């Protein structure tokens, strides 16, 4: 059996022996053959374990029975201040008295006599340390150490009336409601006193009056506020989740909010270039035209022509139903945009801008003439004195939003910017090298001539081949003369089909392709996308001649001059 202590090994460790030093408190061990009690009667004579052959078990001899564990404990002077007793009593080291409990450890045998009845207190022991005070008997002291197998929880040692199965009564102020003392002291003094009790670790161990615990009255109100806060957070979270769920259901399955009727008043709305359904719907909602973006998107999808809504400025009404807004935007009368058709000359564009902005006739033309260098023309634009209008060919055909109060220069800049963007998508430099032209400027000039003479995309490609074939030095039939009526009409600022031969041959203007070889000094119109594509990719069938009729909007092409004459007679008869 394991022995505790580090003596000679002849004596087992007893519960009365403290675990301090090598051989008890005095550092001495009893001599061989002599008990530790100096001839006195050994305690626990009726030890039940001794009858069963377990005399070596030190724990079986402990049966303390004392209701007041501290009243009879009388210890002597603490270790640091006691005098050396070794010379007088070497064989009787002081033995600390164990705290005694009611009931003790039940061994199942008969109870032994209380230790206090068998062993005199240390104060009366002649082999002790003299008349000294018992420090273990004070309320502030810790209980003496116990063997590892016999230790119990502090509550069980402190309270002799503790019962394992009986639930203890809760004394915390939070549950009993005893927040306010009856003496009427203010909360600050009470809190200070409570803090003193809570900060003393010894108070938590000794448990005066049966282990009653003290609590702070403030904790109840604080815990209540915390509970309310947690409840508020939970309610708010559930409400937020419910709102998000409802919003998601409405957005996915519910009908979008919408106005009723055709609306009132007038509002000008500008739809930028490249805007589509969602962006258009957002602009209309912000302007107060429709009630929700979802309603407009639904109405646009429900209309067969809804996807054809383009950029521009629209005159709409406030608080319109989504269906009414879509129908009104599809009506050309509601569009407040400036539309430039393909092939329109600059002089006509200037007139349209003046009319749109309510300006005096000729205002925009004067701005283009005097401020052409500030409109954003590309570097390859030719500044030749023979060019009638350096901006010709750069007012790209499209619909432009023009609001009230806009300046002509602003409108012109937007058109030139659009032209630069479209021309930047094409490899004009490569086309110029392929067809022996002098840079992108002449490619643009070819496209403007094709736009003025052709009628369809197929016509544009054949017309481009006619131009390139007539410009060849090997052309001996027209000798590099284009002979286009459209160029003569441009210089005359007119649009005629039947022009007299005498009138044409008398005019020596650089733009007269009947008398001047090669291309015109600059573009004669604003070509569209089809004409530009045809100038870069003409046919290769050998077309050199063509005949156009204004009445049937039809063009016939020929490779030989004789064939051209037959076609001309045919169309003259039709006209």
């Amino acid at each position: 059996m394991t022995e505790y202590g580090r003596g000679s090994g002849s004596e087992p460790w007893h519960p009365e022996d403290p675990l301090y030093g090598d051989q008890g408190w005095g550092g001495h061990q009893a001599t061989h053959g002599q008990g530790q009690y100096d001839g006195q009667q050994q305690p626990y004579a009726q030890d039940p374990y001794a009858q069963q052959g377990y005399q070596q078990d030190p724990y079986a001899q402990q049966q303390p029975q004392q209701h007041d564990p501290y009243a009879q404990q009388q210890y002597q002077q603490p270790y640091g201040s006691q005098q050396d007793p070794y010379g007088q009593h070497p064989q009787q080291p002081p033995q600390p008295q164990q705290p005694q409990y009611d009931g003790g450890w039940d061994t199942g045998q008969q109870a032994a006599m209380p230790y206090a009845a068998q062993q005199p207190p240390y104060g009366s022991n002649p082999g002790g340390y003299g008349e000294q005070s018992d420090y273990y008997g004070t309320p502030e002291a810790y209980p003496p150490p116990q063997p590892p197998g016999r230790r119990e929880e502090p509550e069980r040692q402190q309270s002799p009336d503790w019962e394992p199965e009986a639930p203890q009564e809760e004394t915390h102020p939070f549950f009993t409601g005893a927040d306010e003392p009856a003496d009427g002291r203010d909360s600050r003094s009470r809190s200070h006193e409570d803090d003193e009790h809570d900060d003393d670790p010894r108070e938590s161990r000794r448990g005066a009056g049966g282990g009653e615990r003290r609590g702070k009255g403030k904790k109840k109100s604080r815990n209540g506020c915390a509970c309310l806060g947690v409840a508020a957070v939970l309610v708010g979270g559930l409400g937020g989740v419910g709102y998000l769920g409802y919003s998601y259901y409405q957005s996915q399955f519910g009908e979008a909010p919408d106005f009723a009727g055709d609306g009132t008043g007038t509002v000008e709305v500008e739809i930028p270039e490249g805007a589509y359904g969602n962006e258009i719907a957002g602009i209309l909602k912000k302007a107060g035209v429709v009630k929700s973006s979802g309603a407009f998107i639904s109405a646009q999808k429900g209309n067969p022509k809804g996807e054809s809504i383009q950029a521009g400025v629209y005159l709409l009404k406030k608080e319109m139903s989504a269906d009414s807004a879509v129908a009104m935007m599809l009506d050309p009368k509601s569009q407040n945009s400036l539309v430039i058709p393909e092939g329109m000359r600059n002089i006509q564009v200037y007139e349209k801008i003046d009319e749109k902005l309510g300006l005096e006739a000729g205002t925009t033309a004067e701005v283009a003439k005097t401020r052409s260098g500030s409109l954003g023309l590309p570097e390859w634009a030719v500044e030749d004195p023979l060019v009638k209008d350096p901006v010709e060919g750069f007012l790209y055909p499209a619909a432009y939003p023009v609001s009230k109060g806009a300046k002509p220069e602003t409108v012109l800049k937007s058109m030139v910017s659009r032209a630069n963007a479209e021309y930047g998508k094409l490899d004009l430099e490569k086309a110029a090298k392929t067809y022996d032209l002098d840079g992108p400027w002449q490619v643009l000039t070819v496209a403007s001539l094709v736009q003025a003479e052709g009628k369809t995309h197929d016509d544009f490609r054949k017309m481009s081949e006619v131009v390139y074939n007539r410009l060849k030095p090997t052309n001996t039939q027209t000798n590099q003369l284009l002979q286009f009526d459209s160029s003569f009409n441009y210089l005359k600022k007119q649009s005629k089909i039947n022009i007299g031969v005498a009138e044409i041959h008398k005019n020596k203007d650089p733009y007269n392709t009947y008398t001047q070889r090669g291309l015109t000094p600059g573009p004669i119109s604003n070509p569209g996308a089809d004409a530009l594509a045809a100038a870069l990719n003409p046919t290769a069938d050998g077309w050199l001649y063509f005949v156009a009729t204004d009445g049937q909007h039809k063009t016939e092409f020929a490779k030989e001059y004789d064939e051209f004459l037959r076609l001309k007679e045919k169309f003259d008869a039709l006209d």
Side-chain angles (χ1 to χ4, degrees):
M1 185 164 185
T2 304
E3 297 181 357
Y4 296 88
R6 290 158 49 184
S8 61
S10 61
E11 292 290 334
W13 181 87
H14 287 279
E16 295 85 0
D17 295 341
L19 300 177
Y20 302 97
D22 293 334
Q23 298 181 4
W25 289 340
H28 286 68
Q29 181 69 27
T31 60
H32 182 71
Q34 182 178 0
Q36 293 186 0
Y37 297 94
D38 195 14
Q40 299 181 13
Q41 181 180 358
Q42 293 295 330
Y44 315 116
Q46 300 179 3
D47 189 350
Y49 289 93
Q51 302 175 7
Q52 300 177 13
Y54 296 95
Q55 290 85 356
Q56 297 295 327
D57 188 354
Y59 304 116
Q61 301 177 12
Q62 300 186 38
Q63 295 295 332
Q65 295 182 1
Q66 185 172 344
H67 294 281
D68 190 351
Y70 301 105
Q72 298 182 12
Q73 295 182 13
Q74 298 294 331
Y75 293 97
Q76 298 181 7
Q77 184 175 347
Y79 314 130
S81 62
Q82 61 185 346
Q83 298 179 357
D84 185 9
Y86 305 141
Q88 299 179 3
H89 302 282
Q91 297 181 359
Q92 294 185 7
Q95 302 294 330
Q97 191 171 10
Q98 286 290 344
Q100 303 182 13
Y101 307 93
D102 188 7
W105 297 294
D106 190 2
T107 62
Q109 305 292 332
Q110 66 181 24
M113 296 179 62
Y115 180 77
Q118 302 178 21
Q119 182 71 17
Y122 284 95
S124 61
N125 189 356
Y129 292 86
E131 299 294 333
Q132 298 177 355
S133 59
D134 185 4
Y135 283 86
Y136 280 107
T138 61
E140 292 82 0
Y142 290 97
Q146 300 294 321
R150 298 294 183 172
R151 295 176 186 174
E152 292 186 355
E153 297 179 358
E155 290 80 2
R156 301 184 182 182
Q157 298 177 7
Q158 294 171 6
S159 178
D161 299 331
W162 179 83
E163 297 181 3
E165 301 298 332
Q168 295 185 356
E169 180 181 358
E170 182 58 60
T171 60
H172 197 283
F174 177 81
F175 299 97
T176 61
D179 293 336
E180 300 295 336
D183 55 2
R185 292 175 296 173
D186 59 3
S187 61
R188 182 175 302 178
S189 63
R190 293 195 305 273
S191 176
H192 179 70
E193 293 180 2
D194 291 340
D195 291 342
E196 292 180 353
H197 286 287
D198 291 341
D199 293 339
D200 190 351
R202 294 173 297 180
E203 290 294 328
S204 63
R205 290 177 170 85
R206 64 187 181 89
E212 180 180 357
R213 299 192 302 174
R214 298 175 62 90
K216 297 182 180 180
K218 291 183 178 180
K219 292 183 178 179
K220 181 177 181 181
S221 60
R222 293 176 181 174
N223 292 340
C225 293
C227 292
L228 290 176
V230 172
V233 170
L234 292 176
V235 172
L238 292 175
V241 172
Y243 175 78
L244 292 176
Y246 175 78
S247 301
Y248 176 78
Y249 176 82
Q250 285 294 108
S251 62
Q252 297 295 325
F253 308 104
E255 294 184 0
D258 195 6
F259 291 122
D262 297 332
T264 59
T266 302
V267 58
E268 186 177 81
V269 179
E270 180 178 349
I271 304 301
E273 189 71 27
Y276 294 98
N278 291 333
E279 188 174 356
I280 295 174
I283 294 172
L284 296 178
K285 182 179 181 299
K286 185 177 181 180
V289 176
V290 297
K291 192 171 184 178
S292 66
S293 300
F296 178 82
I297 294 174
S298 178
Q300 185 182 24
K301 291 180 178 179
N303 192 305
K305 299 181 179 180
E307 299 297 331
S308 63
I309 296 177
Q310 299 179 355
V313 177
Y314 296 85
L315 293 176
L316 304 175
K317 296 181 180 181
K318 288 277 190 178
E319 299 184 359
M320 303 178 67
S321 67
D323 291 334
S324 299
V326 172
M328 195 169 188
M329 294 182 75
L330 292 174
D331 187 357
K333 296 179 181 179
S334 67
Q335 298 180 14
N336 200 28
S337 301
L338 177 62
V339 180
I340 306 300
E342 297 176 348
M344 181 174 281
R345 301 172 189 164
N346 277 9
I347 184 113
Q348 297 170 306
V349 176
Y350 301 149
E351 292 174 357
K352 290 178 71 69
I353 295 175
D354 289 340
E355 181 182 357
K356 190 69 174 180
L357 299 179
L359 302 176
E360 185 179 354
T363 302
T364 304
E366 183 65 21
V367 170
K369 181 179 179 180
T370 59
R371 303 180 187 177
S372 61
S374 64
L375 298 180
L377 296 174
E379 295 181 356
W380 47 264
V382 176
E383 297 182 1
D384 192 333
L386 299 177
V387 176
K388 297 186 179 299
D389 187 353
V391 186
E392 192 75 64
F394 291 97
L395 304 181
Y396 193 81
Y400 296 93
V402 179
S403 57
K404 295 179 180 179
K407 301 296 182 181
E409 185 175 1
T410 302
V411 178
L412 293 174
K413 284 182 177 180
S414 65
M415 294 179 177
V416 172
S417 177
R418 175 67 182 276
N420 290 334
E422 297 296 331
Y423 298 159
K425 301 175 183 178
L426 307 174
D427 195 350
L428 301 181
E429 290 283 354
K430 180 179 179 181
K433 294 179 180 179
T434 301
Y435 302 108
D436 198 19
L437 300 177
D438 190 11
W441 176 262
Q442 287 195 338
V443 177
L444 180 60
T445 301
V446 171
S448 69
L449 292 168
V450 170
Q451 181 75 63
E453 293 288 346
K455 300 294 187 294
T456 65
H457 178 72
D458 189 51
D459 289 350
F460 292 154
R461 294 192 63 204
K462 293 179 179 180
M463 195 67 67
S464 295
E465 185 182 4
V466 169
V467 172
Y468 292 135
N469 286 336
R470 291 187 179 186
L471 290 176
K472 291 180 179 180
T474 57
N475 174 23
T476 59
Q477 297 189 36
T478 63
N479 296 314
Q480 293 86 47
L481 294 173
L482 295 181
Q483 298 178 347
F484 281 9
D485 292 347
S486 57
S487 63
F488 186 80
N489 285 333
Y490 177 80
L491 70 89
K492 289 292 186 176
K493 300 179 182 179
Q494 64 184 17
S495 296
K496 292 183 179 180
I497 295 296
N498 297 321
I499 302 173
V501 177
E503 180 184 2
I504 291 177
H505 286 285
K506 285 197 270 187
N507 192 307
K508 305 299 181 181
D509 191 275
Y511 281 82
N512 186 357
T513 57
Y514 280 93
T515 61
Q516 305 298 320
R517 294 181 179 180
L519 296 171
T520 56
I524 64 172
S525 68
N526 293 287
D530 288 344
L532 287 166
L536 272 64
N537 185 29
T539 59
D541 298 328
W543 304 116
L544 187 60
Y545 301 95
F546 66 94
V547 176
T549 173
D550 187 55
Q552 295 183 359
H553 301 285
K554 188 177 181 180
T555 304
E556 295 285 349
F557 292 87
K559 299 177 183 178
E560 301 293 336
Y561 184 71
D562 295 338
E563 184 180 359
F564 163 71
L565 293 177
R566 289 193 298 269
L567 290 174
K568 190 175 184 310
E569 292 178 358
K570 175 182 175 181
F571 279 102
D572 289 343
L574 294 174
D575 293 339

